[in-house]
Amino acid sequence: MTSQPTLKPAGSGPGDPGESGSSPSEHDSGLQAGLKNRHLSMIAIGGVIGAGLFVGSSSGIATAGPGILLSYALVGTLVVLVMRMLGEMSAANPTSGSFSAHADRALGPWAGFTIGWLYWFFWVVVLAVEATAGAAILEGWIPAVPQWGWALIVMVVLTATNLVSVGSYGEFEFWFAGIKVVAIAAFIVVGGLAVFGVLPGVDSDQAGLANLTDHGGFLPNGAGAILTGILLVVFSFMGSEIATLAAGESEDPQRAVTKATNSIIWRIGVFYLGSILVVVCLLPWDSESITEDGSYVAALDSLGIAHAGQIMNFIVLTSVLSCLNSGLYTASRMAFSLGRRGDAPKAFARTTSRGVPRTAIIASVVFGFVAVFFNYKFPDSVFLFLVNSSGAVALFVWLVICFSQLRMRKIIQAEAPEKLVVRMWLYPYLTWASAALILFVLGYMLTDTEHDGRTTVLLSLLVAAVVLVIAVVKQRTAGRRTEDRDGIPAG
């Protein structure tokens, strides 16, 4: 019978795969508690509002009609369950490595290594995607600066912000996320009033609850479109886990994780389901303006709001900058954790006097710059490969969280049951159900050729397999070295 891994005491060595995730251990490692409660609260709220919600929702609506609400509800439920699992583990052991460190302890070093590097890869590719998207908006406003110039400026500014201190990251993210939250809340209120015909000065003859059923029914393209909608919206939820990584640099990590976990339901319910419901009630789902202008711009235009396109561009730009800011932070902290566990160069685990992992930040942004170059030089080959090969990482991360929690619950109960301040509901049944749903989505993606689902899964699996092989070889090599040191013949 395989022995259960155990929780390590605070102060475990940096090369120990069982690195403790407790607050003192993180702070002793060189990171500092520079994030305030208001920073963590807004990071948790803003983490679920990505640019994908504003930009990508139009294709989902065009595919599934009003039924896209069910797609969002299903994925939202899955995210709530996964975050509950992650919250259980992170509240017991807050750490900058989050799910990667938990997988290291629960499943083995190979799992922590593999999912950690895949997650880092995902975010550095996102850096390039978001920098390019932000640059396109800025070039439209100030065409004198070329698009690549804006991408460079945005990356440099946010890199400098992250290099100053974790507090400066938190402050920028507080305001970026604040703008997103206020914008979505205002959109829901204004749109809701228009739907019920009580918005002063607006006479929108298209708005009404009847839009949910009048144009071919609630599911105009059949129930199967709900599954296709899931494929289109699932990746817009990535980022909800950032609060658990950031908690390791807060003054009260356990409280921060608990609060973020408990609030995930209303955050998804309000910002995703609430805003999409308003969109499909303001306009018929098959309105050409939704696909041509984007769902939120089209909705604002239908109310006769002046400069709706520019207003939404500003909000999308804010979301892009927020995603860039958090992406760089997240990638660097994952690299830091990997370095501390001996799964990345030791330099990644070094911090400045301000508690900033400078080398990890610079390495992450350098790869981001390279990806931006590929986007401009080889958009349909190298960059497309990078995007597709990182596309399914979100699902891989969620799957690893499921399997990690199945083992970590037993470990925590055996060694430190008082740390179970957050508990997964109906354990282990909901955990297994969540894992099954994730595997189902991955399997369904393999049948999707229209939206490149099959290509995304296959390329992501290829990259994951390469990283996994490196992890296994590394682990076996380290094992042989240990045997040699102990005087036991290798092999």
Side-chain angles (χ1 to χ4, degrees):
M1 182 175 177
T2 305
S3 60
Q4 291 279 356
T6 57
L7 288 169
K8 301 295 182 180
S12 299
D16 193 339
E19 169 195 51
S20 169
S22 66
S23 175
S25 178
E26 283 297 337
H27 298 164
D28 290 345
S29 72
L31 296 179
Q32 296 181 0
L35 292 176
K36 301 175 182 177
N37 287 334
R38 65 182 178 88
H39 293 154
L40 263 296
S41 297
M42 199 57 76
I43 289 170
I45 295 172
V48 298
I49 309 174
L53 174 61
F54 299 108
V55 179
S57 57
S58 56
S59 59
I61 293 172
T63 298
I68 194 65
L69 287 166
L70 296 180
S71 302
Y72 273 106
L74 286 171
V75 179
T77 300
L78 177 60
V79 172
V80 167
L81 295 176
V82 170
M83 279 299 297
R84 189 75 185 181
M85 298 176 220
L86 182 56
E88 176 180 296
M89 296 184 289
S90 295
N93 291 280
T95 171
S96 60
S98 189
F99 52 84
S100 173
H102 303 322
D104 194 306
R105 286 191 295 272
L107 306 177
W110 63 270
F113 178 100
T114 303
I115 204 63
W117 276 113
L118 286 176
Y119 190 70
W120 178 87
F121 174 58
F122 170 85
W123 278 110
V124 293
V125 172
V126 166
L127 291 181
V129 173
E130 300 295 340
T132 304
I137 295 174
L138 289 167
E139 185 189 29
W141 292 343
I142 308 176
V145 179
Q147 194 175 113
W148 66 265
W150 279 120
L152 181 65
I153 292 171
V154 167
M155 292 275 277
V156 168
V157 169
L158 292 180
T159 300
T161 300
N162 275 265
L163 284 172
V164 172
S165 70
V166 67
S168 63
Y169 154 72
E171 198 63 32
F172 267 73
E173 189 56 25
F174 176 81
W175 291 105
F176 285 152
I179 292 172
K180 291 191 293 184
V181 169
V182 170
I184 287 284
F187 176 82
I188 292 173
V189 171
V190 171
L193 291 174
V195 169
F196 290 103
V198 293
L199 183 64
V202 172
D203 182 20
S204 179
D205 56 353
Q206 290 183 299
L209 295 175
N211 282 328
L212 294 175
T213 56
D214 277 359
H215 299 266
F218 186 70
L219 296 172
N221 295 323
I226 297 173
L227 294 176
T228 305
I230 287 176
L231 304 187
L232 296 174
V233 306
V234 65
F235 303 110
S236 65
F237 283 84
M238 193 66 165
S240 55
E241 73 291 334
I242 292 176
T244 64
L245 281 89
E249 293 177 81
S250 67
E251 295 177 354
D252 190 350
Q254 190 178 78
R255 178 178 177 273
V257 169
T258 303
K259 187 176 180 181
T261 302
N262 290 336
S263 65
I264 187 70
I265 297 176
W266 72 261
R267 286 186 277 138
I268 289 177
V270 171
F271 297 123
Y272 276 85
L273 293 178
S275 64
I276 294 297
L277 175 62
V278 168
V279 169
V280 294
C281 285
L282 286 176
L283 283 171
W285 71 271
D286 54 357
S287 172
E288 293 182 0
S289 61
I290 289 181
T291 52
E292 291 176 357
D293 303 326
S295 52
Y296 288 82
V297 172
L300 290 175
D301 275 334
S302 73
L303 301 179
I305 295 178
H307 311 294
Q310 292 305 321
I311 292 173
M312 190 50 60
N313 273 338
F314 173 74
I315 296 171
V316 171
L317 177 62
T318 303
S319 296
V320 165
L321 295 177
S322 172
C323 191
L324 268 171
N325 194 38
S326 289
L328 183 53
Y329 171 83
T330 305
S332 65
R333 268 34 176 203
M334 185 57 72
F336 167 83
S337 179
L338 288 167
R340 191 165 178 237
R341 285 178 274 144
D343 290 337
K346 291 182 179 179
F348 285 11
R350 297 183 189 133
T351 57
T352 66
S353 59
R354 292 176 174 265
V356 174
R358 181 167 53 199
T359 304
I361 291 174
I362 292 174
S364 300
V365 81
V366 164
F367 192 96
F369 276 127
V370 171
V372 169
F373 169 77
F374 285 144
N375 191 15
Y376 287 110
K377 197 70 175 175
F378 311 105
D380 298 323
S381 54
V382 180
F383 187 71
L384 186 61
F385 170 81
L386 291 176
V387 171
N388 284 333
S389 61
S390 64
V393 167
L395 293 170
F396 296 165
V397 167
W398 296 347
L399 195 60
V400 166
I401 289 172
C402 292
F403 291 129
S404 297
Q405 190 266 338
L406 285 170
R407 297 200 69 195
M408 281 298 293
R409 165 67 75 90
K410 296 177 182 177
I411 299 168
I412 299 171
Q413 282 180 324
E415 307 233 345
E418 70 280 1
K419 290 186 175 183
L420 278 173
V421 295
V422 176
R423 289 176 177 265
M424 176 59 184
W425 306 298
L426 296 178
Y427 169 85
Y429 307 109
L430 274 182
T431 302
W432 280 113
S434 301
L437 180 56
I438 295 168
L439 289 172
F440 173 78
V441 172
L442 284 169
Y444 187 75
M445 286 180 71
L446 289 172
T447 69
D448 174 47
T449 55
E450 183 180 354
H451 303 99
D452 294 329
R454 177 183 296 176
T455 301
T456 297
V457 172
L458 292 177
L459 289 179
S460 296
L461 284 172
L462 173 63
V463 172
V466 171
V467 177
L468 178 59
V469 168
I470 295 173
V472 172
V473 171
K474 176 184 176 298
Q475 186 174 343
R476 290 184 177 179
T477 302
R480 284 197 294 269
R481 288 174 179 169
T482 301
E483 290 175 350
D484 291 341
R485 285 199 305 269
D486 292 342
I488 301 174

